[in-house]
Amino acid sequence: MKKQIYQPLFTFILYLTVCLLTALLFEPLSILLLLGVSAGISSAVIILWGKRQVFPLVLGSITLNSLLNYYFSAGLELSIFILFTLAFCAQGIWAKKLTEKLISHGQWLNSRKKLSSFIYKVGPLASVISASASVLIMILSAKSFDINLFYVFCQTWSLSVLISIFGIPLLLFVNSDQSFNKGKQLFVIISSVLGGISIALLFKIGQDQNEHYRNDDFFKVQSTIELKLEQELQQIEQQLNSLKAYFEASRLVNVESFYEFSAYILNERSKIESFEWAPFVEDIHRSTYERYMSEVLDIHYVISQQTIMGNNIKSGTLDLYLPVQYVFPRYQNEQILGVDLFDHIDKKKAIKEAITTGRVSATLPINMVEGDFSNPVILIALPVFNHNLKPLFGQYKQQGSLPVSGVVIAVVRVSTFFQNMMNYADEKDINLMVSDVHKGSEFTIIGSHLDSPDRLSSKKTIDVFSREWVYELSEKDTWVLQYKSWQTWATLLGGTLGGIVFQLLILMMAAYSTELSSRVTQKTRELIISKEKSDNENQAKTGFLQSLSVELRTPLSVIKRLVEIFPQNDLAKKEKAYIASISSAALNLEQLVDTLNELSSIESGRLTLNTQSFDFILFLRRMEEVVEAQTKDTKFMIQEDVPQFIESDELRLQQVFIACTENAQEILESQNICVSVKVHFHHHNSATIVFVLHVLKTNQLITQNDLESKAPIEGGKFNLRMEMARELCNKLGGNINLARLPSGELMLHASVKVKISQEQELGIGRFNVPSIENISVLDVKRILFVEGPSKQNKNMYRQLLSLKHYVDVISDVDKIEESLLLKKYHLVIFDCSESGMDIKAIPSPLKGQFSTLDTLALFNDTIEDNVLSLVNHKFTAYVVLPITTENLRTLILNHFR
């Protein structure tokens, strides 16, 4: 019930909010912007909550139209409003139909392929409806079909696509739980919101920039037309004033001088169609004037009036006439000679206005009949004050001003006057309309009015020859139908493509996360099943091996017992050999059973490692003794920086080492085997111990480059003991494999990972690699080093370590005898190099069983004579520091000999 209430309410509020924000942010306001936005919102809410959201959308559209009409005066006509509403509702329903299966099953984000299909359907595909409707709306409103309608299509399609691809996933994320964690879901929501805002700002900036250029261009056209109009009016007024000045300065103006002066004033750029001179004639002088002018002009001159059809008829009797006396050019204008200007009401008003004000005054446009055509013209009058003008047939007198002798008239054809301005406006796609609004009455001089919605327009009132003119400029086409620059197209298409790619990448990340989670879940399930199957198989195999071991041990024990109790003294040599063979076979079988037990323990996971710190150098000594007891042809080579103390399982390491050495001769097919022990140090006090077993040749050494360039042998097979050793190596973090050296010879390579013991100091237990001729590099001596109280002589300590000897360190001289009891030492070295060292406190000579042990003292300075006898008594020898390592080696070797 709550959903039935809040869903339509949310739809209504969301629609109105987004549309009003669009109307406020984007100028000029266009129905196409609102259609694209409405279509995107419609698709989002209908996909999310179904077709029931059509009603709040329609209600929101009605409300929006009312608000636009009230606040922006941009309401839609009924037909366009219906088409507008049907378009975005139809798009929402179609988008719902296209994505119904993906949404209902929650599969739109399950994979990148489905996501791409979903985005394509709700965006580019569904938005074709609103884009097509926008073209139809523009044709109905503009009543034209133009190539720029393609931009209308693209703009609406772009807005609808962007609103759809940003809004629909956002609402789906907010409304429902997805298959990935809230952090990723929040990241996608925030990214989508920020991306949508960025794209909106991009369009806003582009729209504002285009609007700025548009206003600049319009203002430029407006300024140019205003300048042209002002220049034309000034030129007409200057020419008319020149003619007036001519008449006021002359006593007699004949027809030839009038023609000559008028021709001089008028030029090719002048907009004046003709000049006229009309003197005032009183009725009492009418006949005399008519005869005079007939003689001057050589025509039948009669004061007349002009009919609507352009015919001249004799004027009736009046007190005062204002007939046209001269006209220039006379050609094609001769029919107006003698026409009484006071006979026409508009001309009479303009002339009287000019006489009253003394300024130039113009009439409304008057149709001048020329043959079968009539052309609107404007008469511009200017009074002439010259009572000396001859001949004088009358004057117009009014109280408070000079008598007026006549009026000069400039005839301006409307089409000619505005031709340049109209051409320029048409070139810039601007509509120009000029109206006469003198004394409240409006009369359109030229042009037509265009409705201003979505068009830039301006209106200005100017004073033109004592009349008020209003010229109005407006764009011929609405903004969406105007020519668009490449920057506008780039902003539209680039912003749309960028928005689609950005949102697609964000959603692809979410889809990939979902897809990856699904794959991980599937693979985990498969691994669990596989592991259970493997565990069951291993358990069965382990059970079988254990059962087999138990079954074999019983008869094996009987055989061993019988062999032990069998009397061998009375047997012949041949029978004794049989008994020995049986005993050997039983021993081998027992070892095989033990190996099977070890393998079953390893595979079942019951084998645990007993990691402890031990002396690796002593371990190697024991292994050397074991190997030498079996064969005399195996030699050892130890890397100089092999640590003395390591942490590992000593028993398992011993099993690996013995298995490798016992099987090396068979594997490498040689009796002469060399065992090289190397170490690779890692971070965090860890290292890898490497045992390399290869065929021994004179002066042959295995270098680091040889190890790095070794070629593993595929398919190499080991016997059961070696397989067990390999499994143990794997448990110890290493491996056993066969490889071929660059020389083509085989090599057995075993490695284990160990930790460096905390007892291991820097350099402890490391010694130089001896030459291959040495019988054993493990024939080292143990030295007890007694430090001074401050323990500062570390250099001597490191020198001793570098001489391949064990070194134990103590700092308390009272514990010397205790240390000598615990271990066997070959030499005791006392550090007496510190100042203030009390030599008398050193217990020497050593007594009892230690009396034969050599002692060596270290001094920094030459010993004084009074102390020398005491030093010789207490120590076997002494050394004055510093001393080189080589000299120290020679000194110690002499003592050992």
Side-chain angles (χ1 to χ4, degrees):
M1 185 64 183
K2 290 183 178 180
K3 289 185 178 181
Q4 296 178 355
I5 296 175
Y6 84 78
Q7 288 177 356
L9 181 61
F10 177 81
T11 299
F12 178 79
I13 295 175
L14 177 65
Y15 176 81
L16 272 184
T17 302
V18 177
C19 289
L20 289 176
L21 284 175
T22 303
L24 292 173
L25 291 177
F26 291 92
E27 294 181 0
L29 177 62
S30 172
I31 184 64
L32 306 180
L33 292 174
L34 297 178
L35 179 56
V37 173
S38 300
I41 297 174
S42 173
S43 300
V45 296
I46 291 178
I47 286 176
L48 186 62
W49 292 317
K51 301 176 183 178
R52 291 177 298 178
Q53 306 307 312
V54 171
F55 175 73
L57 287 172
V58 173
L59 183 60
S61 178
I62 296 173
T63 307
L64 176 65
N65 188 48
S66 302
L67 293 174
L68 292 178
N69 187 43
Y70 183 79
Y71 289 103
F72 299 95
S73 299
L76 304 178
E77 297 179 3
L78 180 60
S79 59
I80 295 179
F81 171 75
I82 293 175
L83 183 58
F84 173 87
T85 306
L86 289 176
F88 70 74
C89 289
Q91 177 172 322
I93 294 173
W94 192 37
K96 174 69 175 178
K97 188 68 177 177
L98 290 173
T99 60
E100 190 169 8
K101 291 183 179 180
L102 289 174
I103 296 298
S104 61
H105 295 88
Q107 298 177 350
W108 69 280
L109 204 60
N110 283 357
S111 67
R112 287 166 286 181
K113 183 178 180 181
K114 291 181 179 179
L115 173 64
S116 301
S117 174
F118 175 78
I119 293 296
Y120 169 73
K121 290 177 180 179
V122 300
L125 184 59
S127 298
V128 173
I129 292 181
S130 59
S132 303
S134 68
V135 174
L136 184 58
I137 289 174
M138 190 52 59
I139 293 175
L140 292 176
S141 60
K143 298 178 177 59
S144 65
F145 189 85
D146 191 84
I147 188 63
N148 288 318
L149 288 173
F150 181 63
Y151 180 81
V152 173
F153 180 91
C154 292
Q155 185 187 42
T156 308
W157 179 84
S158 172
L159 290 173
S160 177
V161 167
L162 292 175
I163 294 293
S164 298
I165 65 174
F166 278 96
I168 294 174
L170 184 62
L171 291 179
L172 289 174
F173 272 113
V174 173
N175 187 67
S176 59
D177 293 332
Q178 299 301 322
S179 56
F180 51 94
N181 60 48
K182 295 295 183 180
K184 291 183 179 179
Q185 187 171 345
L186 183 62
F187 168 76
V188 173
I189 292 174
I190 294 176
S191 299
S192 298
V193 171
L194 293 179
I197 293 175
S198 300
I199 297 298
L201 290 176
L202 175 64
F203 279 112
K204 169 65 175 172
I205 293 172
Q207 185 85 346
D208 290 345
Q209 187 178 20
N210 291 330
E211 190 67 12
H212 176 71
Y213 291 151
R214 180 186 175 199
N215 281 283
D216 286 347
D217 293 341
F218 184 81
F219 178 76
K220 182 179 179 181
V221 174
Q222 178 184 356
S223 301
T224 302
I225 291 177
E226 183 176 347
L227 180 61
K228 287 179 179 293
L229 179 59
E230 184 178 351
Q231 290 175 348
E232 297 293 351
L233 294 175
Q234 287 179 353
Q235 185 181 22
I236 291 173
E237 187 172 2
Q238 289 174 359
Q239 292 173 340
L240 201 57
N241 282 324
S242 299
L243 187 60
K244 172 189 175 181
Y246 172 72
F247 275 93
E248 289 182 347
S250 303
R251 295 181 62 85
L252 176 66
V253 179
N254 55 30
V255 64
E256 289 79 9
S257 61
F258 175 78
Y259 288 165
E260 183 179 357
F261 189 78
S262 297
Y264 174 77
I265 294 175
L266 295 180
N267 51 46
E268 294 180 355
R269 295 180 299 173
S270 178
K271 303 302 179 183
I272 297 177
E273 188 78 13
S274 62
F275 275 135
E276 299 175 5
W277 162 246
F280 283 101
V281 178
E282 296 177 359
D283 185 58
I284 60 175
H285 301 299
R286 175 176 178 174
S287 299
T288 305
Y289 174 74
E290 290 177 343
R291 288 194 300 271
Y292 173 76
M293 290 306 301
S294 296
E295 293 177 359
V296 171
L297 298 178
D298 195 19
I299 61 172
H300 180 64
Y301 186 90
V302 177
I303 297 176
S304 59
Q305 61 182 16
Q306 199 172 42
T307 63
I308 298 176
M309 299 303 297
N311 300 321
N312 295 340
I313 60 174
K314 186 175 180 179
S315 179
T317 303
L318 297 173
D319 294 334
L320 192 65
Y321 304 96
L322 189 63
V324 177
Q325 179 174 317
Y326 300 141
V327 61
F328 178 85
R330 184 174 176 179
Y331 178 71
Q332 293 184 345
N333 294 316
E334 194 169 325
Q335 73 276 8
I336 68 172
L337 291 173
V339 173
D340 185 10
L341 298 180
F342 265 15
D343 182 65
H344 193 284
I345 186 170
D346 289 334
K347 297 177 183 178
K348 187 175 182 179
K349 287 181 179 180
I351 292 171
K352 284 189 174 182
E353 180 79 18
I355 293 173
T356 303
T357 61
R359 297 186 296 115
V360 179
S361 181
T363 66
L364 283 172
I366 301 171
N367 287 328
M368 178 179 289
V369 179
E370 298 178 353
D372 296 334
F373 302 97
S374 63
N375 292 310
V377 296
I378 299 174
L379 271 63
I380 304 171
L382 190 62
V384 175
F385 303 95
N386 186 3
H387 61 278
N388 295 322
L389 190 63
K390 302 295 182 181
L392 190 62
F393 296 97
Q395 289 183 327
Y396 181 85
K397 299 177 181 179
Q398 61 180 0
Q399 188 176 3
S401 62
L402 296 174
V404 181
S405 302
V407 178
V408 288
I409 304 293
V411 179
V412 178
R413 194 184 299 270
V414 172
S415 58
T416 304
F417 179 76
F418 290 102
Q419 181 179 1
N420 290 340
M421 288 175 276
M422 294 298 292
N423 291 340
Y424 179 76
D426 290 339
E427 181 183 345
K428 300 298 182 179
D429 291 328
I430 299 296
N431 178 72
L432 172 62
M433 187 188 78
V434 181
S435 303
D436 189 308
V437 293
H438 188 62
K439 295 182 179 180
S441 61
E442 183 173 356
F443 181 86
T444 302
I445 298 175
I446 194 170
S448 58
H449 176 72
L450 292 178
D451 293 333
S452 59
D454 205 13
R455 290 184 176 93
L456 292 178
S457 62
S458 67
K459 183 183 292 187
K460 187 174 183 180
T461 302
I462 58 176
D463 183 24
V464 179
F465 304 141
S466 301
R467 303 192 68 85
E468 288 186 358
W469 282 9
V470 174
Y471 71 91
E472 180 179 349
L473 297 174
S474 62
E475 295 174 323
K476 288 185 177 181
D477 297 323
T478 59
W479 184 83
V480 293
L481 291 179
Q482 294 174 14
Y483 170 79
K484 301 298 185 297
S485 64
W486 68 267
Q487 293 95 334
T488 304
W489 279 103
T491 301
L492 178 65
L493 299 181
T496 303
L497 182 61
I500 293 175
V501 172
F502 174 82
Q503 184 68 349
L504 194 60
L505 290 176
I506 294 296
L507 295 177
M508 279 291 184
M509 183 275 294
Y512 181 72
S513 178
T514 304
E515 186 178 352
L516 188 61
S517 298
S518 177
R519 290 182 180 179
V520 169
T521 302
Q522 181 181 358
K523 292 296 182 181
T524 302
R525 189 180 299 109
E526 292 176 357
L527 288 174
I528 291 174
I529 295 174
S530 177
K531 183 177 182 301
E532 291 178 352
K533 182 179 179 181
S534 177
D535 289 344
N536 293 334
E537 292 177 354
N538 289 336
Q539 189 65 30
K541 183 171 66 174
T542 301
F544 169 76
L545 292 176
Q546 290 177 348
S547 300
L548 180 63
S549 175
V550 172
E551 295 294 333
L552 289 175
R553 281 188 182 278
T554 302
L556 183 60
S557 300
V558 173
I559 293 172
K560 288 178 64 178
R561 180 60 179 165
L562 291 175
V563 170
E564 289 176 358
I565 66 175
F566 201 90
Q568 299 184 15
N569 296 331
D570 299 333
L571 295 179
K573 185 176 181 180
K574 188 175 182 179
E575 283 77 5
K576 288 182 179 181
Y578 289 155
I579 295 298
S581 298
I582 293 173
S583 178
S584 177
L587 180 61
N588 291 335
L589 185 58
E590 185 178 16
Q591 291 178 349
L592 180 62
V593 171
D594 292 338
T595 303
L596 287 176
N597 279 332
E598 290 286 347
L599 284 175
S600 63
S601 298
I602 294 172
E603 292 184 354
S604 63
R606 291 183 291 108
L607 178 66
T608 58
L609 298 178
N610 183 20
T611 302
Q612 292 182 351
S613 176
F614 64 94
D615 192 328
F616 185 57
I617 300 300
L618 293 180
F619 170 82
L620 292 177
R621 175 180 290 179
R622 292 199 308 272
M623 293 303 101
E624 182 185 19
E625 293 174 354
V626 171
V627 171
E628 286 183 350
Q630 296 176 353
T631 174
K632 299 295 184 180
D633 298 324
T634 300
K635 306 299 180 183
F636 277 72
M637 295 179 61
I638 312 299
Q639 186 174 319
E640 63 177 356
D641 55 353
V642 170
Q644 180 173 348
F645 298 100
I646 62 173
E647 293 182 6
S648 185
D649 191 325
E650 186 177 2
L651 177 61
R652 303 304 176 185
L653 186 60
Q654 177 177 322
Q655 290 177 337
V656 170
F657 186 87
I658 291 176
C660 291
T661 54
E662 287 181 351
N663 293 274
Q665 293 181 351
E666 179 182 352
I667 294 173
L668 301 179
E669 298 178 353
S670 176
Q671 297 297 320
N672 299 321
I673 302 299
C674 178
V675 181
S676 298
V677 183
K678 301 177 178 294
V679 62
H680 299 289
F681 291 96
H682 309 306
H683 296 292
H684 308 296
N685 295 328
S686 63
T688 298
I689 301 296
V690 181
F691 303 105
V692 181
L693 291 85
H694 59 95
V695 177
L696 178 62
K697 291 185 179 180
T698 305
N699 297 329
Q700 181 190 32
L701 296 176
I702 300 297
T703 64
Q704 183 66 23
N705 292 332
D706 292 333
L707 292 177
E708 293 177 353
S709 61
K710 67 181 186 294
I713 298 177
E714 300 292 337
K717 294 183 178 180
F718 295 135
N719 57 26
L720 190 58
R721 288 201 67 191
M722 286 299 296
E723 289 296 339
M724 184 270 295
R726 174 182 284 179
E727 293 294 334
L728 286 176
C729 260
N730 292 335
K731 284 286 186 179
L732 293 171
N735 194 14
I736 297 178
N737 53 58
L738 276 175
R740 195 174 297 278
L741 295 173
S743 61
E745 297 177 355
L746 288 178
M747 172 183 75
L748 184 62
H749 183 277
S751 62
V752 293
K753 288 186 177 180
V754 299
K755 286 186 177 181
I756 305 301
S757 174
Q758 295 180 356
E759 302 175 15
Q760 179 73 23
E761 295 287 343
L762 179 63
I764 290 183
R766 301 179 186 177
F767 42 82
N768 296 327
V769 178
S771 62
I772 195 70
E773 290 81 5
N774 288 0
I775 298 176
S776 172
V777 299
L778 296 178
D779 187 18
V780 295
K781 305 296 182 179
R782 188 176 294 276
I783 299 173
L784 179 62
F785 182 64
V786 183
E787 289 183 320
S790 61
K791 306 178 182 180
Q792 293 179 352
N793 200 350
K794 296 295 183 182
N795 186 42
M796 174 56 66
Y797 178 52
R798 290 185 175 89
Q799 283 182 295
L800 293 173
L801 293 175
S802 66
L803 300 179
K804 70 172 184 177
H805 300 296
Y806 293 130
V807 180
D808 290 337
V809 182
I810 62 173
S811 56
D812 189 359
V813 294
D814 296 331
K815 295 183 178 180
I816 294 177
E817 188 173 354
E818 180 181 350
S819 299
L820 295 176
L821 290 172
L822 292 175
K823 295 180 181 179
K824 179 182 178 182
Y825 292 94
H826 301 86
L827 178 66
V828 179
I829 299 177
F830 293 88
D831 183 14
C832 304
S833 61
E834 296 185 18
S835 60
M837 185 73 175
D838 187 7
I839 300 176
K840 298 179 180 180
I842 299 176
S844 181
L846 299 177
K847 299 179 181 179
Q849 58 180 335
F850 308 119
S851 59
T852 60
L853 186 61
D854 290 342
T855 58
L856 180 67
L858 305 177
F859 295 93
N860 269 336
D861 299 317
T862 303
I863 302 174
E864 298 178 0
D865 295 336
N866 57 349
V867 183
L868 183 58
S869 59
L870 180 61
V871 170
N872 291 330
H873 173 72
K874 285 182 173 286
F875 306 107
T876 306
Y878 69 91
V879 174
V880 177
L881 300 178
I883 185 173
T884 64
T885 303
E886 195 61 34
N887 292 336
L888 182 63
R889 180 199 302 273
T890 303
L891 177 64
I892 293 176
L893 287 178
N894 290 332
H895 281 281
F896 288 158
R897 291 196 185 106

